[in-house]
Amino acid sequence: MTPLFDSDSSPPSREELDEGAALLRGFASAKAPVLVEEVGRITQSAAFRHLVTPGGYTMSVAMTNCGRVGWVSDRNGYRYDPIDPDTGAPWPAMPVPFLDLAVRAAADAGFANYDPDACLINRYVGGAKLSLHQDRDEKDAWAPIVSVSLGLPAVFLWGGKRRSDPVRRLIVESGDVVVWGGPARFVYHGVAPLKDGQHPLTGTTRINLTFRKVF
Ligand code: MD3
Ligand code: FE
């Protein structure tokens, strides 16, 4: 008999974080090994790299993309680009298990017919962090961003619509999915420096998939 859930994890649950924002604990747990395997495949043709911000800082998080466009940054600014600037080739296609998971998670959180064009893949090692920011380069301001956490746990920083708003801290673990759209779409957020550790799926790293509707 196939167990419904891994013996070491709880059944999936949904928590409304805010209007338009839902935390689906364990939603991706059953598919996590397949998702990590697909990340390995993607990075064979589009390797993880440390992007440089327009301010000249090299990001501690390593990134790559799959889908019709990818998020990139350099000294000239941020953009979505159909071409990987490191290879000159289009980004790898979005794997079916990625798309399937993102669409099911969005629907579960109340966003029907989700149709993401991009998936940014972030890799954190101990000490890597993502400073407080808004994701505002996407044309569709209502469609959700779907975030899938894999591997080591992290502390999400969850603020408000203004940078100066108070910030909540939320622990996310492997298999947890956050969907934020509609009124929660432009909330400031980030990730606190990752604590060192070992995870059976991802070793010394945390991987986060963020699905976006760009066009
Ligand atoms: C959004 N990456 O790549 S969600 C990004 O864990 C990015 O790598 C995060 O933000 C990561 O642009 C994924 C983190 C997060 C936490 C709280 C939020 C996003 C949020 C609260 C509101 C809206
Ligand atoms: Fe973000």
Side-chain angles (χ1 to χ4, degrees):
M1 200 178 110
T2 312
L4 273 174
F5 311 109
D6 299 342
S7 52
D8 62 347
S9 63
S10 338
S13 70
R14 179 174 50 215
E15 185 185 333
E16 218 61 41
L17 292 172
D18 246 333
E19 208 191 331
L23 170 60
L24 314 176
R25 292 240 183 241
F27 191 90
S29 292
K31 288 286 184 287
V34 172
L35 300 176
V36 171
E37 193 180 305
E38 292 292 350
V39 170
R41 224 191 302 281
I42 288 163
T43 57
Q44 283 170 24
S45 46
F48 280 116
R49 78 291 304 264
H50 294 271
L51 297 169
V52 175
T53 67
Y57 292 98
T58 299
M59 298 179 78
S60 59
V61 178
M63 299 180 167
T64 187
N65 294 274
C66 64
R68 291 163 59 201
V69 290
W71 187 86
V72 288
S73 174
D74 60 26
R75 283 307 304 243
N76 300 315
Y78 313 121
R79 66 183 185 280
Y80 281 100
D81 200 320
I83 298 297
D84 176 352
D86 277 13
T87 63
W91 298 99
M94 204 181 293
V96 170
F98 275 34
L99 193 60
D100 175 71
L101 187 94
V103 169
R104 287 192 295 111
D108 201 74
F111 295 92
N113 307 309
Y114 188 48
D115 180 26
D117 341 275
C119 177
L120 172 63
I121 306 169
N122 293 335
R123 185 185 65 191
Y124 297 75
V125 296
K129 65 178 170 66
L130 200 58
S131 303
L132 218 57
H133 67 279
Q134 292 171 303
D135 293 357
R136 52 188 312 161
D137 300 333
E138 301 77 24
K139 221 174 194 164
D140 191 326
W142 187 263
I145 291 186
V146 173
S147 157
V148 180
S149 292
L150 300 165
L152 289 176
V155 176
F156 269 4
L157 307 173
W158 170 279
K161 297 232 159 72
R162 284 163 308 193
R163 190 180 281 281
S164 57
D165 287 338
V167 174
R168 284 177 276 168
R169 299 165 73 89
L170 188 75
I171 294 171
V172 284
E173 297 183 314
S174 194
D176 290 351
V177 176
V178 187
V179 178
W180 67 95
R185 185 62 179 72
F186 294 115
V187 166
Y188 275 92
H189 60 277
V191 178
L194 195 80
K195 214 170 148 287
D196 285 319
Q198 270 289 338
H199 192 279
L201 268 182
T202 59
T204 57
T205 71
R206 167 179 186 257
I207 292 172
N208 187 83
L209 315 176
T210 50
F211 296 89
R212 294 119 190 276
K213 177 91 190 102
V214 176
F215 301 114

